[in-house]
Amino acid sequence: DRGSDESRSIEMLRDLKVQAKDAGGDVITLLGNHEIMNADLDFSYAPDIYSFDSWHDKFNMAEKLQTVLKGKRAQLMQRGKGKLAMLMSTMPVVVQIGDNVFVHGGLTRETISHGIDKLNQEVADWLRKDADVKPWLLDPVPKGGRTVSPLWERVYGMPIVPEAALETLDGMLESMDAKRMIVGHTPQKYGISGVGTEKEKEVWRIDTNLNDKIMGRVECLEILTDLESPEAASTVRVLSEDGRIIAAEKRKNMFEELLRSQNKKETAIPVPLRT
């Protein structure tokens, strides 16, 4: 719900998944807080009445004007039978691939305690309407100035992540035998960036805020692992649309000295307009 190309974006991801399967790979799409908002029929961020035109091309314009904004979106998102709700039921909240953990907002102690596999299954059941009770970890339940929800956590998107949060992350990743966590959710002004911990764990923030209103940097995070030597360290780098390949070291802890010296408030930085 962040632009007018929703349906095309979804179809592109579905096509890529098929292509990846044919090539022996996979494309895994994760759930975020906005997917769950739509499944709750909360369309606060839905952009306009044309967002899902291509999903309903049999309707004439008059019908679209009357129904697409709420009615058709609601039909697509209706748990148990809506086309998009059923598609979303195949998407996990958290996924671990090797020593990499992917999650929209960030891991929380409550998520680990609850169980990742259990949470993914409960969310799938809820979206398919096999269960009526919404998993509580999907909502931004507050605790100690933060949230317990892996979809709404923002502390790991701060330019300087508080030491207490990094210590918590060390423990969570250690319990999962993981090296790094990859998150979105909080836009990064200067592109993809990473933060290291005392125990040599990492969190990578990859939300560059690509939408119709604010066009951030077009970048992706590449993680390469030698399948013949899985114990060897992975190579992490940032790929830019202009062809640059940026080593991880250049994007790790890039804000720490700058922001500490300027004594700026520890808050997420909004993405600037793209020139």
Side-chain angles (χ1 to χ4, degrees), residues 127-174:
L127 287 168
R128 289 195 298 264
K129 214 171 183 180
D130 292 337
D132 292 327
V133 179
K134 180 183 179 183
W136 65 280
L137 282 169
L138 296 183
D139 288 325
V141 179
K143 183 178 181 180
R146 293 171 56 186
T147 175
V148 302
S149 173
L151 299 183
W152 291 89
E153 177 65 283
R154 286 198 186 274
V155 69
Y156 298 109
M158 291 180 175
I160 298 178
V161 180
E163 290 298 327
L166 292 178
E167 291 176 8
T168 299
L169 180 62
D170 270 334
M172 292 188 295
L173 291 179
E174 193 73 29

